[in-house]
Amino acid sequence: MNRKVLIVGALIVTPLLIFLALSFGKDPRAIDSPLVGRTAPDFALRGLDGEMVRLADLRGKPVVINFWATWCQPCIAEHPVLQAGAKQYEGSVEFLGVIYQDEPEKIQAFIDRRGAWGPSLVDDAGTVAIAYGVYGAPETFFIDRNGVIVRKATGALHPNELASLLNGMLQSG
Amino acid sequence: MRSIYLTLVVVVLSLAALMPAAGQEAPLGAANWDLVGQPDGPPISGTELDLITEEVAGIMRCPVCQGLSIADSPTALAIAMKAEVKEMLSKGYSESQVLDYFEQSYGEFIRLEPKARGFNLFVWLAPLAVLLGGLLFLAMRMKKPVVAELEPTATSSSTESELDTYRERVRREVAS
């Protein structure tokens, strides 16, 4: 075969192979967030019970913020995972739910049936979801004691994934 | 009478002092616009605000759509984003401040047109480089005379010596 053809072919194929090899190592569900490693955007939202929750007031404890809705099937699937997590880490980790494009009445009815795992905060204008760069539900943000986002999880959480992330945050001090 | 006035002043001052605390109680969503500093310009409203909102929303990508701007998308997220863009612009934030703010949450993906810097320059310069390369190639091909391709190529010294040997052999065979 012509040597020139081989060289040109190698120059075209090699970068493509490198690109593919690098992509294979990534989680296809994951959506990169520029917020990871940065201070979590602060907010103050009222819960369904009428109580105001301000993120900055929770500084000193790891916080899990989950954007969810009743129309979202993966959110329903991960509900028991978050319930178990909130129970297991009660007192050491704060769990906050932010209602994403849903009606508070529907959320309340759902909670009445299945129970809650933390306050469900009403984000009427969607400004908190936008500040967190949310694409869809469910998305979960893990915030360390210093208020820095350490991880963003897209899709329904697995119990092992939740435990591993929370243990990591608790151990890192 | 004087004591009544004094009491009134004290009450008014106390209420004024309580105002910020009351303000903190109001839901503030995500009050993070100050991440991009103070508004560059004065507040705007009316038709001017509507026009500039459409303009800015038109260059912002809807995160849940295929190549649509938030101005064109009917999704709830795009509508919420456009409302926030309008709110920011009404306070006097400039187009670049609004884009910078949204970029902090969604990354450069939010811009329908990427910034011409770093690796993105490749997107802008590659077509130009290919065009220039093609023109250069054509120019070189056109400059080269066609006859040149028909001229015999120079023979190497080894071929020449082989020919000499062959000629000598022919000469000897003819002579014999």
Side-chain angles (χ1 to χ4, degrees):
Chain A
M1 195 184 277
N2 191 331
R3 203 175 156 189
K4 270 186 189 172
V5 175
L6 265 176
I7 293 171
V8 172
L11 282 174
I12 295 170
V13 172
T14 311
L16 284 174
L17 285 176
I18 293 171
F19 177 74
L20 283 173
L22 290 174
S23 303
F24 272 127
K26 285 186 178 176
D27 178 0
R29 287 189 318 161
I31 300 173
D32 290 337
S33 170
L35 290 169
V36 173
R38 289 177 26 203
T39 303
D42 192 22
F43 60 81
L45 292 175
R46 208 174 282 284
L48 289 177
D49 56 1
E51 201 167 315
M52 184 71 79
V53 175
R54 191 179 189 126
L55 182 66
D57 294 341
L58 305 174
R59 196 67 65 86
K61 256 188 196 180
V63 179
V64 175
I65 302 177
N66 179 262
F67 290 85
W68 73 289
T70 54
W71 46 259
C72 141
Q73 285 303 314
C75 304
I76 296 169
E78 76 174 353
H79 193 77
V81 176
L82 288 164
Q83 272 180 318
K87 196 175 175 186
Q88 188 182 342
Y89 294 91
E90 193 176 359
S92 52
V93 178
E94 290 290 338
F95 283 73
L96 303 178
V98 178
I99 301 170
Y100 180 74
Q101 293 173 9
D102 203 351
E103 293 161 31
E105 296 77 25
K106 287 184 180 171
I107 294 280
Q108 188 60 63
F110 180 87
I111 288 169
D112 290 344
R113 283 197 313 273
R114 306 220 185 179
W117 44 260
S120 290
L121 308 173
V122 184
D123 180 24
D124 271 338
T127 49
V128 174
I130 292 169
Y132 278 77
V134 171
Y135 285 77
E139 281 186 21
T140 312
F141 291 82
F142 294 84
I143 300 166
D144 71 10
R145 288 190 172 98
N146 303 313
V148 174
I149 297 176
V150 292
R151 173 81 185 267
K152 171 192 170 183
T154 311
L157 285 166
H158 189 273
N160 294 348
E161 184 188 8
L162 181 65
S164 141
L165 283 164
L166 294 181
N167 290 338
M169 283 203 297
L170 287 168
Q171 279 163 17
S172 65
Chain B
M1 193 68 182
R2 198 177 166 186
S3 63
I4 294 171
Y5 279 126
L6 273 172
T7 313
L8 273 173
V9 167
V10 168
V11 168
V12 168
L13 286 175
S14 307
L15 282 173
L18 284 171
M19 286 299 275
Q24 279 173 8
E25 278 301 304
L28 56 91
N32 294 286
W33 295 347
D34 53 354
L35 288 173
V36 289
Q38 292 301 305
D40 279 348
I44 53 169
S45 59
T47 316
E48 187 191 0
L49 175 62
D50 292 339
L51 285 174
I52 196 165
T53 301
E54 284 302 319
E55 199 178 300
V56 176
I59 55 170
M60 290 173 65
R61 189 193 306 274
C62 162
V64 291
C65 316
Q66 294 285 337
L68 273 183
S69 73
I70 61 166
D72 299 327
S73 169
T75 62
L77 180 59
I79 292 166
M81 288 172 81
K82 192 176 166 187
E84 191 162 2
V85 166
K86 190 173 186 177
E87 187 71 20
M88 286 185 80
L89 291 168
S90 74
K91 304 280 183 217
Y93 286 98
S94 65
E95 175 186 309
S96 66
Q97 284 182 304
V98 172
L99 288 171
D100 285 348
Y101 174 70
F102 280 84
E103 203 176 323
Q104 300 207 21
S105 331
Y106 289 96
E108 207 173 331
F109 171 81
I110 203 70
R111 294 173 187 262
L112 271 174
E113 204 170 85
K115 280 181 186 170
R117 68 170 187 205
F119 182 73
N120 292 346
L121 276 176
F122 180 78
V123 178
W124 298 92
L125 298 179
L128 194 66
V130 169
L131 182 70
L132 287 176
L135 286 174
L136 195 69
F137 176 75
L138 278 178
M140 283 169 73
R141 291 289 292 182
M142 288 171 78
K143 202 175 170 185
K144 204 172 174 182
V146 181
V147 243
E149 282 180 12
L150 300 172
E151 284 174 2
T153 49
T155 49
S156 67
S157 56
S158 62
T159 317
E160 201 61 41
S161 67
E162 279 168 16
L163 274 173
D164 285 346
T165 320
Y166 183 70
R167 282 191 199 110
E168 185 60 31
R169 196 175 142 195
V170 170
R171 253 185 245 117
R172 266 189 273 123
E173 282 181 4
V174 168
S176 63

